[in-house]
Amino acid sequence: MTEQRTDPPGAPGAPATDMSLLGIYLNDHLAGATAGTARVRYLLRSCGDPALADALAPIADEIAEDRASLLHIMRRLDVPVRRYKVYAGRAAEQMGRLKSNGSLVRRSPLSTLWELEALRLGVDGKTAVWQALRALAGTDQRLDARQLDDLVERARRQHTSLEELRRRQVDVAFRATS
């Protein structure tokens, strides 16, 4: 049976939120946030480009903070963390390191490009969850609309920064080396 709750509790005429489905949705995003946090930390350790690492470091900190914000929101909504989804997110991130990059024994510039693209896609997904929660904030007092607006804006800034870094990496990855 699907658990439904009227938000805010006791408000007359407030639309019902399907907490069961919201829990699945938030746990899926938590798995993605776990993978994204691990991916950006791995990229920082392995990229070998100090300028890229300097540009990524603040984004990496924010991605970790955003994951913590999601956990805090889940606690406020009484959504239990599904540990198996968190572990699946970690495993998916580690499996993603096994992709072909044109080099068997060392890191390729293509690896960095792929990872920047994966991070940008993850930030797009994160933007979507913040926007979905923001839409619910009008009828659920447990959600802080201002916090969600700030999280949406930060995700948009992260997207812009990652896109700029990705564009630079295209030149690095595909520039002719003769």
Side-chain angles (χ1 to χ4, degrees), residues 21-39:
L21 291 179
L22 183 60
I24 292 167
Y25 179 72
L26 294 178
N27 272 285
D28 288 348
H29 275 280
L30 180 59
T34 300
T37 300
R39 172 65 54 181

Side-chain angles (χ1 to χ4, degrees), residues 159-169:
H159 174 93
T160 299
S161 297
L162 288 167
E163 177 58 15
E164 181 181 320
L165 295 171
R166 186 197 68 80
R167 286 182 183 165
R168 283 191 230 156
Q169 190 62 28

Side-chain angles (χ1 to χ4, degrees), residues 6-18:
T6 302
D7 296 313
T17 298
D18 187 324

